[in-house]
Amino acid sequence: MQAFVSLPSSKSVKADLLVRFSDVDWEGLKAVYGWAGLQYQAWARGSLIVDDDKERTVVLYTDHVLEFWVDDEHHFGGDFYAYRKAPLVLHLQPGKHRIDVRIVRDVRAMGAAGEPTVSIVLEAETSEGGLKAVDGSLLLPDLVEGRLATSLGSISVRNEDKNWIEVIEEPQKITYLHPGGIVSHAILRPPSDKILHAIDPRSSLPVVLGLHGAGVETDSAQVRHSFDEAPNLRGWVLFPSGVMPWSGDDWHRWGIADIEAAVAAIPQWITTMEWRGPGVDAERWLVTGHSNGGQGTWYVLTHKPDKIVGAAPVSGYSSIQAYVPYHFWYEADPRISAILHSSLSDYRHELLLLNSCGIPVHQQHGSLDDNVPPSHSRRLSLLLSEVGCPSEYTELPGKGHYFEGVMTTQNLLEFYNNILEGEAADHSLPSSFDFVVADPASMGAKGGLVVDQLLSSGLLGRVKAEFLASTRTWRLHTTNIRRIHFAPATSRNWLGTKIYINGFRIQLWEDVPVSSQWLVLLNNGSCKVCCDRGWLRDQRHGHQLGGVHAILDTNGRFSISTPRKAFPLAVQISRNLFQYFGADAEINGPNQDDQPGEGNRIRLLLGPTTDGSSQAGQFSPIALDKDRGLVVRDAYGRTTVYGFQEGLGAIFLRPSTADASELVVWGSELSALRHAARLVPTLTGIGQPDFIVFDKGCAWRGAAGVLALGIFDIFWNISEHSVVF
């Protein structure tokens, strides 16, 4: 390890650490294990000296660090991507303060080319306290023809004082609001003057989505000018930010919500700018993206197929699991491994490729790409052909991962123009289609059908549909589907047709809108039509579905409730939500009103206690009994009680309101609660299922050491596929 420490001043001091292991045969490890062999962890220890006679406020930046300790106080989350948005604010007494750093080398973030070194930066700045603006956080729309493109803007601020600061009013003038209630932005390019003169101004053009890669700012020249060589596309070119340079969670639950919010903001831009050109068809998207944005293109394509008129993944990887394989996860009971992989299945695009059938797809990859090997695109091209979904694939000889003009090569320009110039707003249904669903919460419509619930959560659901034009008959065959309904945009296509599901004829209500009727699959395979909305009150649905990451699917800012002793952990969770997602969270102390708001809630519980909310907990098969311990009721009604002991902890979802979720984070004592809090989502690709119960054995065995983990069914009961030891 090499350390370069700047000369300390009264204001700041910085240490640059370079970690390398020159005596390791990295090429040998790479040959055996692939890129996973280039990942490792190490430890570093140092000190920060406060050379003063009084307490000082210190702002500590931890670039490329995920976990560290200051005077044995554990801080997880760090600043792995060097955002510098939410540094740690410390109030230190005079003297020496020990700093321990866990160093993690991650191939996905740090690359696989050359020697696998790690470079981290620790920088401490003194502060006079008070409210400080976060550098680089000012967000304003562009100035176009002397006026702002939209009416809103924002700036992030940080409290560097010991005392609370009450925010009386926070007027936000932004381009658009993310569903999480926070400021986000996109770069929008309206149709050119040439297009305005070539088409009817009363027409509506589709949206051309350009998804940026990992660590790339939307407002950078790389993104802004990536379509300069395609100035006259017949569409609205839109570069969503995903809120953060890493698009929050790789364009998944948090990121795709930002995409939809960005698209929905275009009509407001049209109104604000008094636009006189063609309108926007917000239901028709041509989606493309580079690198991580290429992976995001696959996610959007397979999850919102009815919106997609064409897709062009560029230098994209196929899925998280395939990018850097999880070779070094601890070996575990096969049931545990199955649940973890099931929790990641919504991101396993290889499993969902049937959803893209009938949609034009053109992949592009450089043959010399050493960041995302071209084998990803080659394999996806092969898999598409195997499931009967032909696509186009262009491999560019001698080209690497990125080069100037990568998004506007000749083959891509031809693809864009062929799609957009021949595209019309056609909402008719295909004559046959297949639909595969891993998580209904993130899945849009396919062929006009929306899957609301699966019979067995954690397993794939499938719908195979065929239309017989001669008799105007739809025949649907379902596997592992509980409830479906018709999307409003295409529901009219189902009127006047005969519908058979699994061989049973169903009759839609004539006096109720088709999109307000649910088809409920019964245990015998038959189906009934339901218009009653009562099931929404006590069954799991919508944003409540999915693993622990479902907490990110919030409609409003997060609220965090905490006992007094756990307040520093609540701050860390809030800090991490802001650091990695740009999310807003309100912390409610023990003496504050704890009524659920519009958004999702995170509830910290410590030690022997009740579950904290009988109303929310009435559906949960996991509960706290202050006299006995943690009580878990499995799918067969059997009860397991984990008595209070050192290191015992749990994290699990439960309903907060009819549409929102609550994530319970509990520990028998503070160290166990800290362990549980580390499972609150920060980085993508972890695979936390709906609930996890653990003891201190997990500290070294990982998932192999859990006491229980698994998935809740639609009635908030533990599914039969879960594991309770």
Side-chain angles (χ1 to χ4, degrees), residues 67 173 386 476 610 664:
E67 194 171 14
K173 298 180 180 179
E386 288 178 349
L476 309 178
T610 60
V664 177

Side-chain angles (χ1 to χ4, degrees), residues 557-570:
R557 67 180 178 185
F558 294 98
S559 62
I560 304 174
S561 63
T562 178
R564 191 179 306 278
K565 289 184 178 180
F567 178 75
L569 290 178

Side-chain angles (χ1 to χ4, degrees), residues 359-528:
I359 301 171
V361 176
H362 185 111
Q363 292 188 89
Q364 175 183 286
H365 222 117
S367 67
L368 299 183
D369 192 332
D370 60 357
N371 188 316
V372 179
S375 56
H376 287 269
S377 292
R378 295 170 188 166
R379 182 164 187 261
L380 286 168
S381 179
L382 174 64
L383 291 176
L384 282 170
S385 66
E386 288 178 349
V387 297
C389 304
S391 65
E392 300 173 354
Y393 173 48
T394 299
E395 190 165 306
L396 303 176
K399 293 294 186 180
H401 185 62
Y402 176 82
F403 53 90
E404 197 72 28
V406 67
M407 301 304 297
T408 53
T409 58
Q410 187 61 38
N411 55 281
L412 287 178
L413 289 176
E414 290 177 2
F415 178 75
Y416 301 150
N417 288 322
N418 287 341
I419 296 295
L420 297 173
E421 292 178 7
E423 203 280 327
D426 179 12
H427 294 295
S428 61
L429 300 180
S431 60
S432 64
F433 61 88
D434 292 271
F435 192 16
V436 183
V437 177
D439 180 3
S442 59
M443 191 65 67
K446 171 69 175 179
L449 289 179
V450 178
V451 174
D452 299 288
Q453 293 175 317
L454 302 176
L455 279 173
S456 295
S457 301
L459 304 181
L460 295 178
R462 301 175 187 270
V463 179
K464 187 174 184 63
E466 183 179 10
F467 181 63
L468 304 177
S470 59
T471 58
R472 290 191 54 77
T473 300
W474 278 100
R475 294 192 178 275
L476 309 178
H477 178 76
T478 69
T479 303
N480 193 37
I481 300 294
R482 163 70 176 178
R483 188 185 301 265
I484 58 180
H485 75 272
F486 302 99
T490 54
S491 60
R492 66 180 181 274
N493 294 283
W494 296 87
L495 293 174
T497 65
K498 301 174 185 177
I499 303 175
Y500 290 85
I501 298 184
N502 300 333
F504 293 87
R505 173 77 183 272
I506 67 166
Q507 189 68 46
L508 298 176
W509 295 86
E510 296 183 357
D511 55 348
V512 178
V514 175
S515 58
S516 298
Q517 303 183 48
W518 288 280
L519 310 183
V520 183
L521 281 300
L522 305 178
N523 292 334
N524 64 358
S526 64
C527 179
K528 70 174 183 179

